[in-house]
Amino acid sequence: MDIEQLDPTPEDYAFRDEVRRFYDQNLTDEHRRAALLTTWALAEFEYGRSWQKILYARGWGAPNWPVEYGGAGWSPKQRLIWEMESQRARPPEIMRMGKNLVAPCIMTFGTDEQKAYFLPRIISGEDWWAQGYSEPGAGSDLASLQLQATSDGDDYILNGSKIWTTFAQFANRIFCLVRTAKMQKKQEGITFLLIDMDSPGIELRPIYTIAGEHEFNQVFFTDVRVPKSRRLGEENAGWSVARHLLLYEHSAGLLRMVTELRWRVRWLNELVGLEADGYGGSLRDDPDFSRRLSLLEIAVEAADFAAAQLIADAKPGAPPDATGELLNIRNRETAQALTELGAEAVGYYGAPDQRGARKVVTDVPVVGPPHVLLPMPFYLAQRANTIAGGTPEIHRNNVAKHLLGL
Ligand SMILES: Cc1cc2nc3c(=O)[nH]c(=O)nc-3n(C[C@H](O)[C@H](O)[C@H](O)COP(=O)(O)OP(=O)(O)OC[C@H]3O[C@@H](n4cnc5c(N)ncnc54)[C@H](O)[C@@H]3O)c2cc1C
């Protein structure tokens, strides 16, 4: 998508130039490399953290939030221009569970004290949140969760565990769904809590991915005291907060995802243009490979237009509908297919473990030519893309129910 397609005014160009200047002046080489190395959610946490602080200092810490909480108050067109320039500049990834997931819930369900305390800490990059939803026996069937919260005066006492908790090792807060009562319907008796990660009794056990990365954790709670003032919404009514949050999660990062898809298409085009057989031939000469790549390029173009339309139509602070969820299913599948082509393109260079060479600052050399460093980690990381945030089966059930009314 290009600014020319937005019927731009001189003010739009001026805004575009202002955003572009900001990126040019503030993105360091290390930020850029951190973005380049991101195969899943983050390359290295520190670069996302420092980037959030830079955004905040400029007043753009959370442009899409309502203005009263620090949003930029941009028009739909400006939001699109911002996203386009962000695609172009490619800043490092930021852990989004605070800014994009729990913050809108705090705005909707929080007390005045909770809003005044938590929102400034999220937008400034002081607080980083993890998401404590899934449990060993509760993933797709989230309402079966069992992390027990027993009432004790002004506190709850928590016992149990959460699993697949992304980057909990970097978070200083975690929002959790807990069981406060056993009622007839399992969706009842759930409460939403805002918890400090340094509370006594919380322990992390790392879980390593197929690519050897420490992205997930199991988080254990043993007699953890959480003040009742940290409850978001009413006791036993946490399911409505949970569902509100899922609306944001299921539609989150559409343009960011499209950006990623575009980068991968560009990168695959470079990759397939390289000599592959030692005799001057490249994968581009392979009609089957070229055909598969072209089909995916078309899918990315369509995804870009659809995401831009959705963003232009969105009202600041309003929850998204299931259209974003529908697009997300498609985009995740496209992302997987692109990384499959990438892994195919690098062949046996995908085999060595190159984690040392994939650091932002490193002197470990790449085994093979430079372009072979990322395709295999991308491929491995993307296996999780159609599970994280809900599986396609569950999303399709949601779309059928909420969008199609079936
Ligand atoms: C990369 C990644 C990051 C994650 N980060 C977090 C996090 O930060 N915090 C967090 O709380 N969780 C996180 N998760 C967990 C994620 O939300 C769950 O993995 C997901 O909801 C699926 O649950 P499950 O793994 O228990 O699979 P299950 O629910 O056991 O599903 C197994 C299979 O059964 C199918 N299935 C289940 N129910 C139905 C149904 N009703 N209809 C049709 N098919 C069905 C599923 O589609 C799937 O194929 C993460 C997961 C991944 C992969």
Side-chain angles (χ1 to χ4, degrees):
M1 182 109 200
D2 188 74
I3 191 169
E4 303 306 332
Q5 292 163 275
L6 300 180
D7 198 10
T9 62
E11 290 74 32
D12 295 331
Y13 284 117
F15 177 69
R16 192 262 325 257
D17 293 344
E18 187 188 353
V19 174
R20 198 169 278 190
R21 236 184 348 266
F22 166 77
Y23 274 120
D24 288 345
Q25 288 168 358
N26 290 284
L27 268 182
T28 64
D29 288 346
E30 272 140 18
H31 284 131
R32 289 177 201 275
R33 182 164 158 84
L36 188 76
L37 292 174
T38 304
T39 53
W40 173 240
L42 287 179
E44 288 172 50
F45 174 67
E46 276 316 313
Y47 296 96
R49 189 209 303 259
S50 72
W51 183 242
Q52 178 61 27
K53 291 193 167 168
I54 292 169
L55 287 173
Y56 174 66
R58 178 63 184 77
W60 295 345
N64 293 337
W65 283 13
V67 175
E68 59 185 303
Y69 300 122
W74 289 337
S75 66
K77 213 196 249 184
Q78 284 176 311
R79 290 209 302 276
L80 263 178
I81 293 171
W82 164 256
E83 291 294 345
M84 284 177 204
E85 286 307 304
S86 303
Q87 287 188 36
R88 179 183 164 275
R90 210 173 183 222
E93 278 306 322
I94 291 168
M95 226 166 103
R96 288 162 186 269
M97 278 78 116
K99 188 158 96 168
N100 293 22
L101 299 188
V102 79
C105 294
I106 294 174
M107 290 172 202
T108 305
F109 296 93
T111 61
D112 288 345
E113 290 75 28
Q114 287 170 337
K115 289 178 195 168
Y117 182 72
F118 288 117
L119 296 175
R121 283 174 166 74
I122 294 174
I123 196 170
S124 67
E126 192 180 334
D127 275 4
W128 295 93
W129 287 82
Q131 178 177 21
Y133 270 30
S134 307
E135 296 182 8
S140 304
D141 183 15
L142 184 58
S144 292
L145 61 98
Q146 296 296 334
L147 174 58
Q148 193 63 42
T150 312
S151 175
D152 184 44
D154 289 339
D155 295 340
Y156 293 108
I157 301 180
L158 271 53
N159 281 288
S161 81
K162 293 289 175 185
I163 198 164
W164 311 123
T165 324
T166 303
F167 299 128
Q169 70 269 34
F170 300 123
N172 61 332
R173 317 244 187 218
I174 181 168
F175 54 88
C176 282
L177 294 174
V178 300
R179 173 75 50 201
T180 33
K182 284 215 166 24
M183 295 182 164
Q184 211 171 12
K185 278 179 71 184
K186 59 188 173 184
Q187 285 81 2
E188 294 163 356
I190 291 174
T191 298
F192 196 110
L193 294 181
L194 307 169
I195 304 172
D196 294 342
M197 282 297 283
D198 61 1
S199 309
I202 295 186
E203 269 177 81
L204 297 188
R205 185 188 297 161
I207 302 174
Y208 289 88
T209 64
I210 192 173
E213 309 284 358
H214 175 192
E215 283 177 7
F216 310 116
N217 302 272
Q218 187 162 3
V219 184
F220 292 90
F221 297 78
T222 310
D223 294 331
V224 175
R225 274 191 181 272
V226 179
K228 286 186 179 165
S229 59
R230 289 299 188 80
R231 191 180 66 219
L232 193 59
E234 295 301 314
E235 185 172 282
N236 298 329
W239 190 246
S240 41
V241 186
R243 285 209 46 79
H244 190 77
L245 186 140
L246 287 175
L247 282 177
Y248 287 88
E249 181 167 17
H250 291 166
S251 309
L254 266 181
L255 264 189
R256 183 170 56 95
M257 171 71 98
V258 174
T259 306
E260 281 309 310
L261 296 177
R262 279 204 175 286
W263 275 93
R264 277 175 210 162
V265 165
R266 193 178 306 167
W267 158 85
L268 257 176
N269 271 310
E270 283 166 15
L271 204 62
V272 300
L274 298 170
E275 181 183 322
D277 58 4
Y279 298 99
S282 77
L283 267 174
R284 203 182 294 290
D285 308 323
D286 177 334
D288 180 54
F289 197 95
S290 289
R291 184 187 58 82
R292 285 188 286 154
L293 182 53
S294 301
L295 286 175
L296 290 170
E297 285 184 79
I298 294 166
V300 173
E301 285 303 317
D304 196 0
F305 278 102
Q309 184 66 53
L310 211 68
I311 287 176
D313 291 347
K315 292 191 177 52
D321 70 16
T323 316
E325 189 169 354
L326 187 66
L327 296 178
N328 252 337
I329 307 172
R330 184 88 178 99
N331 289 349
R332 285 163 188 246
E333 289 167 352
T334 305
Q336 283 188 336
L338 282 167
T339 59
E340 277 161 28
L341 286 189
E344 214 175 295
V346 294
Y348 50 71
Y349 279 116
D353 176 354
Q354 307 235 35
R355 274 175 289 172
R358 281 196 283 117
K359 295 281 168 216
V360 174
V361 179
T362 183
D363 49 16
V364 176
V366 178
V367 178
H371 66 271
V372 303
L373 182 62
L374 290 170
M376 186 50 88
F378 270 139
Y379 169 74
L380 294 175
Q382 285 299 320
R383 298 303 86 203
N385 202 355
T386 44
I387 306 172
T391 64
E393 290 77 16
I394 298 304
H395 287 306
R396 289 196 170 98
N397 285 347
N398 284 342
V399 168
K401 198 166 157 195
H402 300 294
L403 202 64
L404 306 177
L406 298 174

